[in-house]
Amino acid sequence: MKLSAGVVRCAAILGLLLANPSAFSASISVQVLNQAGQPVANSAVYAEPASGQTPIKSLKTVEIEQKNKTFFPLVTVIQSGTSISFPNHDTVRHHVYSFSPAKSFELKLYSGTPGSPVMFDKVGTVVVGCNIHDRMIAYIHIVDTPYFAKTDTSGQAKLDGLMPGKYRLKAWHFNLPSGETIPEQLITVSANDSSASFTFNIKANTGTN
C-alpha cells in the first residue's frame, strides 16, 4: 500500500519530535518592571501548564552559600523535590533555619558543609535566616514546574524549552505584599518565541546577589 505524501510528512515530523523534542520547543522572554518603569531584579518567573500536568525534570542539588555573613544568592527558585545544600564559607559558625510553612528546618551551629542537603517538596516561599546574625536573609521560591527563571539586574528573564500549549505565566518577588495573590497571565505557546511583561507596585532593585 502506497502512503500519501501527507502521511509520510506527518510520520517524519513525529519521528523528529520523538528524537529531539526541543526542536519543537519555544522560549518566552519576560520583563519585570515597577510602576516607575524601573527594572526589578530577583523576581521569579515561571510557566505552569494549564493542563495541570507537571513535566518531569531531572532534579539536582543546588547551593545557597554563606560568605561575608551573607547568603548567596539572595533569591533561589527551584522546582519542588529539589534539595539545597547550605555550605558555610565564613570563618565563623552559622545557625541556619526557617519557620516558613512551606519548609521548616534548622541547621544548628556549624562550619563547612552540613552532611545532608535539605529537600524542599512543597510549593511556596521559604524565608531563611541565621539565628546568630539577624541581618542574614535569603528567599527560596518553590514552584511546581521545570519552566522557571529569575530576573537579572535589567529585570529580564527567559524561559526555555516550553512545548506548544497553554500555560499560566506567573511572577513573584519577595517585596510583594504578604498574602497578595501571585500575578499571572494565561498564555499560548506556539513554535515561535514570544515575550511578556509584569508590573509590580514595589521599589526597584532591592538586592542583586
Side-chain angles (χ1 to χ4, degrees):
M1 181 177 65
K2 185 176 181 180
L3 299 176
S4 68
V7 172
V8 173
R9 188 180 304 110
C10 289
I13 292 174
L14 179 60
L16 179 59
L17 178 59
L18 293 174
N20 184 19
S22 63
F24 289 84
S25 64
S27 299
I28 302 177
S29 297
V30 184
Q31 175 77 69
V32 180
L33 304 172
N34 67 3
Q35 289 188 322
Q38 299 171 309
V40 179
N42 281 314
S43 293
V45 295
Y46 49 106
E48 299 174 341
S51 65
Q53 295 181 335
T54 302
I56 301 299
K57 181 181 180 181
S58 177
L59 303 175
K60 63 180 181 179
T61 300
V62 300
E63 286 190 354
I64 297 177
E65 67 172 329
Q66 300 142 61
K67 184 172 61 177
N68 299 326
K69 298 179 182 178
T70 304
F71 286 114
F72 291 92
L74 172 65
V75 174
T76 299
V77 190
I78 57 173
Q79 184 177 2
S80 57
T82 300
S83 295
I84 299 180
S85 178
F86 294 85
N88 178 5
H89 296 149
D90 276 332
T91 56
V92 297
R93 294 191 296 171
H94 292 300
H95 185 142
V96 178
Y97 73 97
S98 176
F99 297 134
S100 299
K103 184 68 177 184
S104 177
F105 69 95
E106 186 176 20
L107 302 174
K108 295 184 178 181
L109 280 171
Y110 71 95
S111 298
T113 301
S116 299
V118 180
M119 203 265 279
F120 294 81
D121 56 0
K122 185 177 179 181
V123 171
T125 301
V126 174
V127 182
V128 180
C130 175
N131 200 34
I132 307 300
H133 308 98
D134 291 340
R135 69 178 181 83
M136 292 178 63
I137 191 168
Y139 302 89
I140 304 168
H141 194 63
I142 305 106
V143 301
D144 198 18
T145 174
Y147 308 125
F148 61 84
K150 185 173 69 173
T151 57
D152 58 20
T153 55
S154 65
Q156 296 184 342
K158 188 176 182 181
L159 305 180
D160 292 316
L162 283 81
M163 302 302 294
K166 293 185 180 297
Y167 294 83
R168 289 185 298 273
L169 182 65
K170 298 183 178 183
W172 167 91
H173 190 272
F174 58 86
N175 272 345
L176 286 173
S178 177
E180 181 174 302
T181 301
I182 293 178
E184 68 174 74
Q185 306 172 17
L186 184 62
I187 61 171
T188 299
V189 174
S190 64
N192 299 318
D193 295 344
S194 58
S195 61
S197 63
F198 287 89
T199 301
F200 288 162
N201 185 23
I202 61 175
K203 294 181 179 180
N205 289 325
T206 53
T208 56
N209 71 30

